């Protein structure tokens, strides 16, 4: 199993994944679903600015579906997470789901994402 495309992008500081996401991709965050490549790519890119020190700690699955465990930091507090990546036969990501814990750090991350989306709104209407 390969490394997570999402976690690799976040580690690089550019989580947009525009070249990896299918046109009809969906990103399911802990708060909302973002439909379509432009919106999913945009939100995934913003998350790269909220999570620091992303480190993949586990991986399960195959070439069509992978589940990846990771740790990161949000404002100097550790967060643990899971990213689930579903792929089409072509290899493009069709659905990405993010789970984060603990709740207190998740709330901080949600606040930082709200601010990021206020400064950089979604590119496409949902």
């Amino acid at each position: 199993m390969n490394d997570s495309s999402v976690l690799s992008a976040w580690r690089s500081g550019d989580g947009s994944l525009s070249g990896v996401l299918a046109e009809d991709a969906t990103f399911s965050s802990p708060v909302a679903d973002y439909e379509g490549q432009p919106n999913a790519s945009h939100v995934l890119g913003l998350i790269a600015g909220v999570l620091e020190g992303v480190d993949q700690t586990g991986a399960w699955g195959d070439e069509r579906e992978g589940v990846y465990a990771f740790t990161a930091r949000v404002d100097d507090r550790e967060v643990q997470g899971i990213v689930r990546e579903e792929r089409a036969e072509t290899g493009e990501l069709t659905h990405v789901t993010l789970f984060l814990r603990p709740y207190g750090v998740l709330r901080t991350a949600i606040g930082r994402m709200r601010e990021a989306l206020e400064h950089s709104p979604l590119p496409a209407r949902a």
Side-chain angles (χ1 to χ4, degrees), residues 7 23 27 49:
L7 298 180
E23 193 60 36
F27 169 56

Side-chain angles (χ1 to χ4, degrees), residues 8-91:
S8 295
W10 287 346
R11 277 193 301 272
S12 76
D14 173 27
S16 69
L17 293 158
S18 58
V20 178
L21 289 170
E23 193 60 36
D24 62 348
T26 298
F27 169 56
S28 297
S29 82
V31 175
D33 291 337
Y34 299 91
E35 303 285 339
Q37 189 273 339
N39 287 338
S41 177
H42 184 73
V43 173
L44 287 163
L46 293 177
I47 290 172
V50 172
L51 297 179
E52 300 169 356
V54 174
D55 182 35
Q56 183 173 315
T57 59
W60 305 268
D62 55 34
E63 54 278 339
R64 293 290 302 274
E65 182 177 0
V67 177
Y68 306 91
F70 70 96
T71 59
R73 303 202 63 74
V74 176
D75 292 343
D76 293 327
R77 295 170 56 198
E78 184 175 274
V79 63
Q80 298 91 39
I82 297 284
V83 171
R84 180 179 179 212
E85 298 177 0
E86 299 172 58
R87 295 181 181 276
E89 288 183 20
T90 61

Side-chain angles (χ1 to χ4, degrees), residues 84-118:
R84 180 179 179 212
E85 298 177 0
E86 299 172 58
R87 295 181 181 276
E89 288 183 20
T90 61
E92 293 177 306
L93 288 172
T94 58
H95 196 159
V96 175
T97 305
L98 173 64
F99 303 92
L100 293 174
R101 68 162 307 277
Y103 180 67
V105 184
L106 172 60
R107 283 184 42 201
T108 300
I110 290 169
R112 300 256 327 267
M113 282 299 296
R114 182 177 49 250
E115 292 170 4
L117 283 165
E118 286 173 2

